[in-house]
Amino acid sequence: MTVLTAISPDSSPLTRWLRRAALVTASARPVIGLALGGGAARGFAHIGVLQVLQENGIKPDLVAGTSAGSLVAALYASGMDARKLEQVALKMDESALTDWSFPLRGLLRGDALGDFVRKETGGLTIQDMRVPLGIVATNVRTGDPILFRRGDTATAVRASSAVPAIFSPVTISGQEYVDGGLTSPVPVQFAQKMGATFVIAVDISSPPNPDTRTDPFSLLLQTTSIMTKSINRWELAAADVTLRPAIDTLSSVDFGARAQAIAAGRKAALAALPTLRAKLAAAGWR
């Protein structure tokens, strides 16, 4: 597995993360990493999870995101608290994230998504985020996942969210990248590579549909679901706690169900809270 640590050529250590890591080591408590998975519109469930963590004083030391998870991770890492995240999500205009690519109508360029991220994060680069951030995308040429730790946040989120046949691939430093969910649906191991010693994973992937239709778009979604399920078998095994919001009935393209997805994320996090607290305490968290 090839992991690049930067969008820009500069791959020097992140001073902010090193300072945080030193403090964590000194206090002998676990480094809490949050791994937010992909799932398009189902990604609003991540906001509900973050709300419950915030309300209970559980603050991630770092966050890694794939696809929809990369968008929520970027907003959170920029300093936006969970309540503000919900406000932004509920007033979000879906058209602000979609821009047709001509003449290949049917592909979204992703520029609108990039503009949204840049505006809501105040233009912060990945290395300048208030919480250490990692964004996962997939290299089209090699098929390898890449962890972006430096560079333009909006570009990295666009790359991570570039679902094939829906979003256009994103070119970064001469290489093309697409959806991080193809290789790391829930980036648990990348959170560990960033320094996490305790990983909370949030899986919002769609299970394979036994009643799927045979049109090209339905088959694309079904194929992605099958692949995601296979990869997650080993990826999630490395997580300390895995949350699976009950959103199987929500479509990954239904942006109208955002409030329902947020509520499902809250419910899943509240249900897991006793187990999460017990495991954190066992790991030295106070």
Side-chain angles (χ1 to χ4, degrees), residues 7 18 34 36 44 61 71 81 89 110 113 128 130 163 167-168 171 179 187 212 250:
I7 290 179
L18 288 176
L34 188 60
L36 302 181
F44 293 107
D61 295 295
L71 171 58
D81 69 24
L113 173 60
D128 289 328
R130 292 173 174 81
V163 179
F167 281 94
S168 301
T171 301
D179 186 12
T212 189
L250 300 186

Side-chain angles (χ1 to χ4, degrees), residues 75 80-81 105 117 124 129 184 230 233:
L75 298 179
M80 190 178 295
D81 69 24
R105 187 173 180 85
V117 172
L124 289 174
M129 288 291 173
S184 184
S230 177
R233 284 196 181 108

Side-chain angles (χ1 to χ4, degrees), residues 70-191:
S70 74
L71 171 58
V72 177
L75 298 179
Y76 176 74
S78 72
M80 190 178 295
D81 69 24
R83 286 298 171 188
K84 176 64 174 177
L85 269 172
E86 181 177 17
Q87 294 173 11
V88 170
L90 293 180
K91 72 178 182 181
M92 180 188 297
D93 182 358
E94 182 183 348
S95 65
L97 304 182
T98 57
D99 45 2
W100 293 108
S101 177
F102 294 97
L104 299 177
R105 187 173 180 85
L107 284 179
L108 299 175
R109 292 194 307 271
D111 293 341
L113 173 60
D115 291 342
F116 175 82
V117 172
R118 198 168 285 111
K119 173 178 177 292
E120 296 297 337
T121 62
L124 289 174
T125 60
I126 298 174
Q127 66 269 27
D128 289 328
M129 288 291 173
R130 292 173 174 81
V131 176
L133 171 66
I135 295 175
V136 181
T138 301
N139 186 302
V140 172
R141 184 179 62 83
T142 66
D144 291 329
I146 173 174
L147 179 67
F148 289 121
R149 296 298 314 278
R150 296 182 64 83
D152 183 59
T153 304
T155 303
V157 170
R158 281 183 56 203
S160 182
S161 305
V163 179
I166 298 177
F167 281 94
S168 301
V170 176
T171 301
I172 301 172
S173 300
Q175 297 288 320
E176 287 193 324
Y177 296 94
V178 291
D179 186 12
L182 296 175
T183 49
S184 184
V186 185
V188 174
Q189 297 197 29
F190 283 110

Side-chain angles (χ1 to χ4, degrees), residues 31-68:
V31 180
I32 302 174
L34 188 60
L36 302 181
R42 297 154 67 98
F44 293 107
H46 291 316
I47 297 173
V49 171
L50 281 165
Q51 287 177 350
V52 172
L53 295 181
Q54 180 176 300
E55 292 162 4
N56 287 273
I58 301 172
K59 184 176 181 180
D61 295 295
L62 57 90
V63 58
T66 289
S67 198

